[in-house]
Structure formats: structure tokens, C-alpha cells
Amino acid sequence: MLSFYPGPSKVYPQTLGFIQEAYEQGIVSINHRSARFERLLKETLENLHQKWDIPSEYTIYFISSATEAWEIVAESLIEQKSMHLYNGAFGKKWSHYVAQIIPQAQSKEFALNESLVECAESITPQQKSSIDTLCLVQSETSNGTGQVINRKDLGFSDDCLIAVDATSSMGGIQLPWSEADVWLASCQKCMGIPAGLGVLICSPKALARAEKLQHKGHYNSILLMEQNRKLFQTHYTPNVLGIYLLNRLSQTLPSIQEIQQSTLEKMAIWEDFWQHQSQFQFDFLIDKKELRLPTVLALQGEASEVHRILRLAEQNHVDLGKGYGVWKENTFRIANFPSHTLEDIHSLIQIIQA
Amino acid sequence: MLSFYPGPSKVYPQTLGFIQEAYEQGIVSINHRSARFERLLKETLENLHQKWDIPSEYTIYFISSATEAWEIVAESLIEQKSMHLYNGAFGKKWSHYVAQIIPQAQSKEFALNESLVECAESITPQQKSSIDTLCLVQSETSNGTGQVINRKDLGFSDDCLIAVDATSSMGGIQLPWSEADVWLASCQKCMGIPAGLGVLICSPKALARAEKLQHKGHYNSILLMEQNRKLFQTHYTPNVLGIYLLNRLSQTLPSIQEIQQSTLEKMAIWEDFWQHQSQFQFDFLIDKKELRLPTVLALQGEASEVHRILRLAEQNHVDLGKGYGVWKENTFRIANFPSHTLEDIHSLIQIIQA
């Protein structure tokens, strides 16, 4: 079974060898308060900083999932009032969870072919000035939207924290780290390892906010996470094997610039294919090329066409992503993650064209 | 490196083969909303019910860690006032986390050689009647205490929920499920798989409490977890590989009765050894045999003796557990988990006696 599902998805095949190493070396048994774990964590954080080009003053934390990260933002960082801008199911879900914790949380849904900047233009300066945390989605897995994150163009105050969900893009494209204060993601997408680990990245401004608020009411308070990170430990027993896999991948994979280039080249193959093939009636759900996420393709067509392609894939032991939420019936999705090779793509194209 | 650390600890060696299977069969890539995952989860829950003798009306949930479970109890189940009875560092930590969420949370520390029943006797009936959730520790990993959990003998009201931390015992001994409403544990102890998964088990009375309170403010609200479990799904992308390992182990390991018998036999070997050996000056930290946890031994002696045995183990590539918290300097700990074979124990004994 070859999985193009947009996460969990195909994992890097070499991760099995890394797991064997972890068994041989006893990594699967190490205590997360030991010097050996501390060395592993320190090295993994350093590798990720380097390979993903994360500014040295930004801090990285391992958590359980991006869903958990949504809640951590609400519990540790939002002061009074957050604003969520979204156009898809996962942005909406984040806003829903936060609203239960932050009574004044606001949200604004925008259209599929609108950019974040266009959405932000419709918010008055008065409204903007009252928002202390802006929650954005860079990669909306439900509909294949990819947004440019640009702090200045959004027009919120300098004190406003910007938190970005990059669940389906982190590790697959270059992210403009300095344009936001919090970046969150899960490992079963572009990181290409088995599910069960999340990554949270914070700017010094985000940590300063956490310090100011002093919210320590939860075991995964950013303050407690940072206290542990300084010792190269974690705030609870983490998924050590997942951390080891990220460590080994970060040693062996190319730089994020090269990975991004490959992601864009593969996306170009897909765009060309869907434009020229005649077997199915599908268009990209997102018309504007610049608003398409290069790591998750969402294609729209008649429900019968969607069923036909999903059935065809299934018959050929390929897993495609079904449509999600309101796009359930009339779209399907294809993950274009770094673990997906040109050969994988050509296999799927051959199946479709057969 | 052979690990006797009381978690993370030695994992079952056969889990590597199961991971290879999970790769070959594409389990590492499956979507957690797919029919294939639903079958895997359904089967795993059924196997655990059967192998661990869990009453059919109790429900099982997979979460990230026992630490997370502590918080879930506070967020979903405690009505007004909880009481924590503890004699060690982890019970104290649980009480600390809960106190930040539940303003009226109470706690009572008891002596090392006291039982839960003796501790409960010192609480007045008036006090008891005001408590809606009693939080107990069956297996206190920091000092090797194991408690009998017996609902009636504690003398709290019938409406009072009893939540039990069995982090270092679940999967290693028979637990009296009906004597409590919530059982929580982590997988890196007696379950013998790599860290990164927790288990939460609830009685119908616990679910009724969750229904009554209707606390849905967190993504891991028990109500949302139960809603997903009914569909054989999970409330967020879980550690699928960990679930698969529990599935395969539950198919191949003996019943919990047999595992418990083996645990007790191995504990008897250790008790006999520490009583008769003359190389080191150690006594069990817990004098009373009936209050010793059979899955984690805590041995007490001079700090110099503790350093000597830890150094000896290290020289022989064996990982022992250091002392924890207030027992840091004058104790060390040995895990006696189901993954530890008689051969492992004899290796360690030989090292100590050499």
C-alpha cells in the first residue's frame, strides 16, 4: 500500500533502519532524564535549527501533536483576546478549541481564493489593536490552501503575537520563521515519520509573553517546557523513538532549501498532469496558483468522479486522501510530502492514465 | 545496555519484529480515520479487555502519557473537590497539577509504611463526604510502594469517584478494576514498548460524571474521547505504532494472571537475594512486604553504597534507577517489569556478586 493520504502518510523508508539502530543502541529504553537522552535532544534541536534554518533565538519543543499545540497556545500565550483567520476545517477547529478557553476569542472565516492579507484588510484598525494573539494557518490540510505569512502586511500591532499552524508544511518547504512567533506542526506529514509527535517553535517574543502571563496551570505550560528544554529535557516522558528518527533524518536529509525545491518540482509535475490529462474531470479546488499549498493538492470535481478515482486508487493499493468536511463529496487530496518520490508520483500517474 | 531503569525501561525484544511488520503492512502510514485503523483499534481494545481482565463495561482510551491523564481527570471528572492521598513524588506531582485546576483540591501525605486504608482512617467522615473524587497511587515509582485498592475499606461515599495512578504496574500485575473508576498508566513501564503512549481506563460511573459535568473545554475531554472511541477512532492523531505494538503483544503474551505470577516469582528472587547477599548494605525502603510494589524495587543504604552499586552497574553496561526526589541520595531502584527475564535478573545478580 502506497499512501498519498495527507497525513499520516508515507513515512521515509529509511526510518525502519533508524528504528533498528535505536533498538541496537538501547535508545528505545533510555530514561528521559539521563545524560544520554539530554545529548540526543540537544543534538536533535541543533540539527533541526540548522537543517530547517530556524533562527538561533527561536526555541523548539517536542509535544504530542499539533492539536495539543493549539491548546498550549491558548493556555500559555493568549492574554485576553485572540483572532483566528481561517478558510478551512482545521483553522476552524483550532478557533473552536481556543474559544472554549479564551472567552473573548474572535474568528473570521475568509473565502477559498482570498489571501490572509486580503482577509486582514477587512479588519478595522480598532479591532486589530485589541488583538494580542493572531492565529493563522499556513497549511490548511482540509482544502490544500498555502498562505504567505508576512507580519507587516497583516497590519496588527507589534505587540501582537502571531501563531501559525504549519501542520502539513513544516519540513517540506522553507517557512519564514521570523514572520511569526509560534509555529506548530505534527510529524506524520512532511517530517515523514510514524504519527505520535508534535513540534512547537517559539520566538523570544512568545517566551516573553509566557513569562509575563506566568500561566503554569497545566503540565504543558510553555514555562515548564522551557525550564526543561534549558536542561535538554522534556516536561513529560516523550516519544523518544520519534525524536531519534527526527535526529537521524536531520543528519541525512538535504537542507530545507533543497527539499523545498524538490517539493515545488513535484508540484509542477502534478499541476502539469492535472491540466493535460483527460481521464478525469478535476480542477484544483484553489484556483489561484499562489494560494495553493505545494505539499497537499486538493482536486475538485463531481462526486461520481471523486468516487471513481478513489476506487481506482484503492484497486491499485494506493491510498488517496478523501475530501474533508464541506469538501467531503466533491474533492479528493494528494499528499506531496518529501517522502513521496518521483517514482511514487509516476506510479500514481500511470494508474490514473491506464 | 540492559535497562532496569523503572521506565522508560527494557522493551520487549519482539517489538522490533512487530515494528517491521507495521512497516511491511503499511500500518505506519495509515490514516487514523480509516476503516483499517478502526479495525486495529477495535481489536486492540478487545484484546486488552480480554488479556488484562478489564470489565466489559469499562472503556479504554489511548492518550499521550500518564501525566496527560492526571490533567484529564482534573478537567473532565472532578466536580468540586478532590482529595489526593500520596506518600511519594509522583502522587505529590499529580496533586500539584490538579490543585492548579481545581481550587478546592485537597491532599494528604502519609508515611512510607502506612497503607491507604490506614491513611483514610485519619480522615473524618465529614471531610470524606465533601470529596467527589479521590486520587490514589497504586504504584508509586519514586519509592517502590504498591497499594491494595479496595473501595469499601476507604470509607468514602458511593458517589465519590476513585482515580488510580497505576503507571508502573498496569500490564505487570492484576489490577482490581472494579475497585476504582479511573485507571491510568504509561506504556514504557510494564507494557514494555517504547515511550510515547498512555492508557486511560474509565468505569461507567466515571463516564456518567463526565456526562453530568459536560466539560468539553479541552481537546482531550473524556466526552470527546468517548465520542471517538464509539467509532473506534481517537480524538487526535495518536501514536499508531504504539497501538499496533500493544495489539501484537496482547495477541502473543500470556494472560495477566500468568504475567503476575511471573512478576511475583521474580520479586521473590530479588527479596531472597537482597536478604542474603553480603556485598552491599541495602534494605528495602519499604519495610512492610505487603506494601512493596512487585514491579519496582527501591533499596536504601548509605549514599556511598548507592554510588558504588550505580557505578558497578554502569561499568557493566546495566542501567539501574537512581533514587528519586527526597530519596535521591540514599536509594536506588530496580525495575521488575514483564520484559525483564530470569536471565536478565541473574546477569545483574552475577554483576553484583562478582
Side-chain angles (χ1 to χ4, degrees):
Chain A
M1 176 64 84
L2 171 59
S3 179
F4 284 97
Y5 200 92
S9 191
K10 183 188 174 190
V11 301
Y12 282 114
Q14 61 267 42
T15 53
L16 178 57
F18 296 150
I19 290 176
Q20 282 162 334
E21 278 177 16
Y23 270 77
E24 281 160 22
Q25 297 171 18
I27 299 280
V28 287
S29 297
I30 58 172
N31 159 28
H32 59 295
R33 305 282 172 220
S34 67
R36 198 169 173 212
F37 177 79
E38 289 166 10
R39 283 195 301 275
L40 169 67
L41 184 58
K42 184 169 185 286
E43 191 182 277
T44 310
L45 297 177
E46 284 170 358
N47 291 353
L48 288 182
H49 267 288
Q50 195 215 324
K51 277 293 169 81
W52 289 355
D53 254 351
I54 301 171
S56 59
E57 68 274 19
Y58 276 52
T59 45
I60 308 174
Y61 309 93
F62 291 115
I63 53 171
S64 301
S65 67
T67 306
E68 186 176 66
W70 289 345
E71 193 162 297
I72 293 173
V73 169
E75 289 171 346
S76 285
L77 296 178
I78 299 174
E79 193 160 349
Q80 294 281 342
K81 207 172 182 177
S82 55
M83 180 172 266
H84 294 252
L85 310 183
Y86 63 83
N87 78 349
F90 291 99
K92 187 175 183 176
K93 224 171 181 177
W94 185 9
S95 134
H96 168 77
Y97 284 133
V98 170
Q100 294 177 90
I101 296 169
I102 305 294
Q104 291 195 65
Q106 295 196 343
S107 63
K108 191 171 168 60
E109 194 167 352
F110 59 95
L112 271 190
N113 281 297
E114 212 176 332
S115 71
L116 278 175
V117 173
E118 286 166 325
C119 172
E121 277 167 4
S122 67
I123 304 165
T124 66
Q126 286 78 357
Q127 269 187 294
K128 283 184 183 172
S129 69
S130 71
I131 299 301
D132 60 70
T133 309
L134 180 65
C135 299
L136 308 175
V137 179
Q138 194 283 319
S139 55
E140 176 53 65
T141 319
S142 66
N143 57 27
T145 301
Q147 294 281 357
V148 171
I149 306 293
N150 192 320
R151 203 186 280 266
K152 266 195 185 150
D153 291 353
L154 295 165
F156 282 73
S157 92
D158 284 350
D159 296 338
C160 181
L161 291 185
I162 299 180
V164 183
D165 184 326
T167 298
S168 279
S169 57
M170 192 183 289
I173 57 172
Q174 288 182 270
L175 291 170
W177 307 108
S178 313
E179 300 296 329
D181 301 293
V182 180
W183 294 88
L184 59 94
S186 280
C187 71
Q188 70 274 12
K189 314 264 183 174
C190 288
M191 297 178 220
I193 67 171
L197 190 72
V199 176
L200 181 74
I201 299 175
C202 289
S203 74
K205 205 167 94 186
L207 287 190
R209 171 74 66 80
E211 279 293 337
K212 179 185 163 198
L213 297 183
Q214 284 294 313
H215 289 174
K216 289 182 179 173
H218 296 279
Y219 79 96
N220 52 21
S221 147
I222 286 183
L223 293 173
L224 301 180
M225 288 163 57
E226 171 61 6
Q227 201 175 300
N228 279 280
R229 186 203 61 86
K230 280 185 180 152
L231 305 169
F232 299 108
Q233 293 188 5
T234 54
H235 57 301
Y236 73 105
T237 313
N239 181 339
V240 181
L241 193 53
I243 294 173
Y244 183 75
L245 293 183
L246 281 187
N247 180 297
R248 293 292 284 117
L249 285 172
S250 64
Q251 288 169 356
T252 52
L253 288 178
S255 69
I256 194 71
Q257 290 83 350
E258 287 172 75
I259 288 180
Q260 160 152 317
Q261 195 181 328
S262 155
T263 299
L264 297 179
E265 281 165 11
K266 290 187 298 176
M267 180 63 171
I269 293 173
W270 276 126
E271 289 189 317
D272 184 64
F273 171 74
W274 288 110
Q275 200 183 335
H276 295 104
Q277 61 81 37
S278 54
Q279 287 83 351
F280 286 90
Q281 289 291 325
F282 287 120
D283 295 309
F284 275 87
L285 176 63
I286 310 296
D287 295 333
K288 290 189 185 161
K289 237 176 153 168
E290 66 274 21
L291 290 178
R292 282 180 203 153
L293 181 62
T295 49
V296 178
L297 291 71
L299 291 141
Q300 183 177 32
E302 294 289 328
S304 58
E305 285 288 88
V306 171
H307 286 147
R308 191 159 73 89
I309 198 160
L310 291 176
R311 208 168 44 238
L312 179 68
E314 200 182 337
Q315 283 162 354
N316 286 279
H317 308 289
V318 168
D319 219 359
L320 295 180
K322 290 179 184 148
Y324 198 96
V326 290
W327 301 283
K328 193 169 178 162
E329 296 303 324
N330 68 338
T331 67
F332 76 99
R333 295 170 299 155
I334 301 176
N336 182 34
F337 292 158
S339 60
H340 293 110
T341 61
L342 287 176
E343 203 187 339
D344 294 334
I345 293 173
H346 290 306
S347 299
L348 180 50
I349 284 178
Q350 273 190 344
I351 290 167
I352 295 170
Q353 284 184 325
Chain B
M1 175 66 82
L2 171 59
S3 179
F4 284 97
Y5 200 92
S9 192
K10 183 189 173 191
V11 301
Y12 281 114
Q14 62 266 42
T15 53
L16 178 57
F18 296 152
I19 290 176
Q20 283 162 334
E21 277 178 15
Y23 270 78
E24 281 160 23
Q25 297 172 16
I27 299 282
V28 288
S29 297
I30 58 171
N31 160 27
H32 60 296
R33 306 280 173 221
S34 67
R36 198 168 174 213
F37 177 79
E38 290 167 9
R39 283 196 300 275
L40 170 67
L41 183 57
K42 183 169 187 283
E43 190 182 277
T44 310
L45 298 177
E46 285 170 357
N47 291 352
L48 288 181
H49 267 288
Q50 195 216 326
K51 277 293 169 80
W52 289 354
D53 255 351
I54 301 171
S56 59
E57 67 275 20
Y58 277 52
T59 46
I60 307 173
Y61 309 94
F62 290 114
I63 53 171
S64 302
S65 67
T67 306
E68 186 176 66
W70 289 345
E71 195 161 294
I72 293 174
V73 169
E75 289 172 347
S76 285
L77 296 178
I78 299 174
E79 193 159 351
Q80 294 280 341
K81 206 172 184 177
S82 56
M83 179 171 266
H84 294 253
L85 310 183
Y86 64 82
N87 78 349
F90 291 99
K92 188 175 182 173
K93 225 172 181 178
W94 184 11
S95 135
H96 168 76
Y97 284 133
V98 170
Q100 295 177 90
I101 296 170
I102 305 293
Q104 291 195 64
Q106 295 196 341
S107 63
K108 189 171 170 60
E109 193 166 353
F110 59 94
L112 271 191
N113 282 294
E114 212 176 332
S115 71
L116 278 175
V117 173
E118 286 166 327
C119 172
E121 276 168 2
S122 67
I123 304 166
T124 65
Q126 285 79 0
Q127 269 187 294
K128 283 183 185 174
S129 68
S130 70
I131 299 301
D132 60 70
T133 309
L134 180 65
C135 299
L136 307 175
V137 180
Q138 194 283 321
S139 55
E140 176 52 66
T141 319
S142 67
N143 58 27
T145 303
Q147 295 280 358
V148 171
I149 306 293
N150 191 321
R151 203 186 280 267
K152 265 196 185 151
D153 291 354
L154 295 165
F156 284 73
S157 90
D158 285 349
D159 295 338
C160 181
L161 290 185
I162 299 180
V164 182
D165 184 326
T167 297
S168 279
S169 58
M170 193 184 289
I173 57 172
Q174 289 181 269
L175 291 169
W177 307 108
S178 312
E179 299 296 328
D181 301 293
V182 180
W183 293 88
L184 58 95
S186 281
C187 70
Q188 70 275 12
K189 313 265 183 173
C190 288
M191 297 178 221
I193 67 171
L197 190 71
V199 176
L200 182 74
I201 299 174
C202 290
S203 74
K205 204 166 95 187
L207 288 190
R209 171 74 65 80
E211 278 293 336
K212 179 186 164 194
L213 299 183
Q214 284 293 314
H215 289 176
K216 289 182 179 173
H218 295 279
Y219 79 96
N220 51 22
S221 147
I222 286 183
L223 293 174
L224 301 180
M225 289 163 58
E226 172 61 5
Q227 202 175 300
N228 279 280
R229 187 203 60 85
K230 280 185 181 153
L231 305 169
F232 299 109
Q233 294 188 4
T234 55
H235 58 301
Y236 73 106
T237 313
N239 181 340
V240 181
L241 193 53
I243 294 172
Y244 183 75
L245 293 182
L246 282 187
N247 180 296
R248 294 292 284 117
L249 285 172
S250 64
Q251 288 169 356
T252 53
L253 289 177
S255 69
I256 194 69
Q257 290 83 349
E258 287 172 73
I259 289 181
Q260 158 150 318
Q261 195 181 329
S262 155
T263 299
L264 297 179
E265 282 165 10
K266 291 186 300 178
M267 179 63 169
I269 294 173
W270 276 128
E271 290 190 317
D272 183 65
F273 172 74
W274 288 110
Q275 198 182 336
H276 296 105
Q277 63 80 36
S278 54
Q279 286 84 350
F280 286 91
Q281 288 291 324
F282 288 120
D283 295 309
F284 275 87
L285 176 62
I286 309 296
D287 296 332
K288 290 188 184 162
K289 238 176 152 167
E290 66 274 21
L291 290 178
R292 282 180 204 153
L293 182 61
T295 50
V296 178
L297 290 71
L299 291 140
Q300 182 177 32
E302 294 289 327
S304 58
E305 286 286 88
V306 171
H307 287 146
R308 190 160 73 88
I309 197 158
L310 291 175
R311 208 168 44 240
L312 178 68
E314 200 182 336
Q315 284 161 355
N316 286 278
H317 310 289
V318 168
D319 219 0
L320 294 181
K322 289 179 185 148
Y324 197 96
V326 290
W327 301 284
K328 192 170 181 164
E329 295 303 322
N330 68 339
T331 67
F332 76 98
R333 295 170 298 155
I334 301 176
N336 182 36
F337 292 158
S339 60
H340 293 110
T341 60
L342 286 176
E343 202 187 339
D344 294 333
I345 293 173
H346 291 307
S347 299
L348 180 50
I349 284 177
Q350 273 191 345
I351 290 166
I352 295 169
Q353 284 183 324

